[in-house]
Each structure stands twice: as structure tokens, then as C-alpha cells.
Amino acid sequence: MSAETPAATGQFTRRRQQFRDWRGTRPFWAGLLVLLGGFPIMYFPYANLKFGNLTVAMSTTAGAGSLIIGVLLVVLGISLWFQKHVRTFAGVAAILLALVSIPVSNFGGFVVGFMLSLVGGAMAVAWAPGKPKPVTDAADEPNHLSGTIPANGANGRHSAG
């Protein structure tokens, strides 16, 4: 075992925590679903599937339309990650592009790309930024366990009356 192993583990943990913090401030999962939904929509109109000796060509006249829809979905997914203020526009655009992909692109990439983009777009529209937790200092909070509460003047003494 080398002397660099503990530092590498600490760096990995720190990077993972940084990624987790970054991911929590934006619609990450919505962007990922929209991004992944664009790939089957782009791929299937240009694919040649082989079943044994039988080759099935999926190319149609709407291949260029499928490519444009797929590329736009990928760009919208990336923009959801890096420009979180456009989440409503990107979500609505992803939903509309997913719906347009049904007639244009082999039933929206055989329904896989359609469903991923539709769910991701809905998640993007529904996402709202979280409220930051207020930072409280332990010295600011009164210690109620001792009976000393400056507001009521008890000063730690209890009356027997």
C-alpha cells in the first residue's frame, strides 16, 4: 500500500460530495432523462438491425427530422444541467419534441425515447429549487435544560410557591 492511498480516498470523497452538492441545486435527473431520450430518437431512423441473415433498414424519409429532434433533446438535457433558470422552457420544449417524435421518428424511438423525454420534461417543469437551511450557531440557542431562561428572569432558581 502506498502513502498516497489515504489522500486519494479523501479526494474521491470530496469530489463525490461536490458533485452531490452541484446535482442538488439543479434538475439533474430531469436533464439526464431528456438527454437519454434523445439518443434512441436519433439512432433508430439510421440503424440497420440484423436478425441472422435478415437485415432490417429502419431509415425513413423523416430521418433528418428525427436527427433534429434528437439533437434538440440532447441540447435541452445539457441546458437543464448548466442553466437551471431555463428549466420551464426546456421542460415544455422537451415534452413537445417528445410528442412530435411519435409520428416523425418510428414511434418516438420505439416509445423508449418518447417516454424518457416526456418524463424528463415533466420533471423539469415540476422541479423547484430548494430553500437553503438557515445556519444556526450553538451559542445563539438558549439552554433550556438548566432552567435558565433570560426572557422570564428565572435565572436558574425555581420558586416553591
Side-chain angles (χ1 to χ4, degrees):
M1 191 178 254
S2 70
E4 297 173 347
T5 304
T9 303
Q11 184 176 9
F12 174 75
T13 304
R14 187 171 44 91
R15 294 284 184 200
R16 188 175 55 101
Q17 186 63 38
Q18 286 175 344
F19 175 69
R20 183 184 225 183
D21 293 341
W22 176 82
R23 189 184 70 198
T25 60
R26 59 201 71 246
F28 177 79
W29 296 110
L32 183 66
L33 289 178
V34 171
L35 179 91
L36 291 177
F39 288 116
I41 292 173
M42 278 190 294
Y43 175 73
F44 286 129
Y46 294 102
N48 289 326
L49 303 174
K50 292 191 181 238
F51 298 108
N53 292 331
L54 180 66
T55 301
V56 178
M58 303 300 296
S59 56
T60 62
T61 58
S66 299
L67 184 65
I68 291 171
I69 290 171
V71 167
L72 285 174
L73 285 170
V74 169
V75 168
L76 287 172
I78 292 172
S79 70
L80 281 170
W81 284 349
F82 296 108
Q83 301 206 353
K84 60 185 173 185
H85 59 277
V86 298
R87 66 174 176 83
T88 305
F89 168 76
V92 170
I95 291 170
L96 291 175
L97 286 171
L99 291 171
V100 168
S101 74
I102 291 174
V104 171
S105 175
N106 297 329
F107 297 110
F110 295 117
V111 185
V112 173
F114 164 72
M115 288 303 293
L116 287 172
S117 299
L118 191 69
V119 170
M123 286 173 64
V125 171
W127 183 82
K131 296 179 181 155
K133 295 179 183 176
V135 178
T136 59
D137 193 16
D140 294 341
E141 296 179 12
N143 186 0
H144 296 292
L145 296 176
S146 68
T148 305
I149 303 172
N152 66 6
N155 207 14
R157 290 174 272 166
H158 301 283
S159 62

